[in-house]
Amino acid sequence: MTHLPVDDLRERLPGAARAWLDQALDEAAAHPGAHGPISVWELRLAEAGRRCGPEHAAAARALILDAARPDPDTLTRVYVQGTAEERLAVLRALPRLVPGPQAVALVEDALRTNDTRLLAAAVGPYAARHLDQHGWRHAVLKCLFTGVPVDAVADLDRRARGDAELARMLGDFAAERTAAGRCVPDDLRRVLALTEEGDQ
């Protein structure tokens, strides 16, 4: 679980890590957003793995981002300059921190990677709300191509339903797989069935 209430995470951390987390959250709350070339809370994001251990680092990063409430420009800087783990934290935080489409470019960037963790995060609730249908269709195809389960695609049923263009793309992809002697993923059949359910 990557987004725990702070008290739940504190209970799971040893003393030194708990003290570090408390300080990091206090700093983020006291100096939210962006301050100078880099904010203290951004440094804490980078330290989370070492301080809290890999098991709890993602949850710690989520809490720090929530406390800092960075704007889209700051999130973009954190994403561009960050490690894969920090980029993952930003992508997962977008639905909570960015109400509008200002961060769609981050989703589009993640969809160009072959890191399945980033891909799965990129097709979450933020993409469901703000990615245009053309980009969303290609995101679904990218998931099928890389083996990311379509369960990761937020709002899949609604957005796929009755989408004739997505059905065409899925059919082409299935034909290519079959011609190459490769199996057609069950997830493809599942999404194809949704496209055939008709508009609502």
Side-chain angles (χ1 to χ4, degrees):
M1 184 176 294
T2 59
H3 197 209
L4 287 171
V6 62
D7 289 342
D8 289 352
L9 180 57
R10 289 183 81 258
E11 289 179 2
R12 301 182 185 197
L13 293 173
R18 190 181 310 125
W20 176 87
L21 178 65
D22 289 343
Q23 180 180 347
L25 294 179
D26 287 346
E27 290 168 343
H31 302 286
H35 294 270
I38 189 167
S39 299
V40 174
W41 62 264
E42 294 178 58
L43 299 175
R44 302 298 175 247
L45 281 181
E47 293 176 0
R50 178 165 54 87
R51 297 286 191 166
C52 298
E55 180 182 357
H56 302 301
R61 291 189 186 101
L63 290 170
I64 292 168
L65 284 170
D66 286 354
R69 309 299 300 179
D71 61 27
D73 288 343
T74 305
L75 282 171
T76 297
R77 183 178 72 238
V78 172
Y79 177 92
V80 169
Q81 298 177 353
T83 63
E85 288 75 16
E86 290 159 38
R87 291 184 174 198
L88 191 59
V90 169
L91 290 169
R92 288 171 171 164
L94 292 180
R96 305 190 304 275
L97 298 180
V98 185
Q102 300 94 327
V104 165
L106 302 186
V107 170
E108 293 171 339
D109 180 83
L111 291 171
R112 289 191 289 269
T113 76
N114 288 316
D115 185 324
T116 54
R117 297 177 307 157
L118 295 181
L119 290 172
V123 293
Y126 187 81
R129 291 201 295 265
H130 300 296
L131 196 62
D132 65 35
Q133 196 67 6
H134 175 78
W136 185 83
R137 291 180 187 120
H138 283 277
V140 172
L141 264 291
K142 185 67 176 274
C143 287
L144 293 170
F145 181 77
T146 57
V148 172
V150 295
D151 283 340
V153 181
D155 213 6
L156 174 68
D157 290 5
R158 180 185 66 82
R159 292 201 66 168
R161 186 167 289 116
D163 188 334
E165 176 61 16
L166 179 59
R168 183 195 65 77
M169 295 168 68
L170 292 169
D172 289 347
F173 181 58
E176 291 173 6
R177 300 273 298 192
T178 301
R182 304 179 67 186
C183 66
V184 176
D186 289 340
D187 272 357
L188 187 149
R189 296 187 179 91
R190 172 185 166 190
V191 180
L192 188 59
L194 288 172
T195 68
E196 295 169 352
E197 289 184 9
D199 294 319
Q200 286 193 352

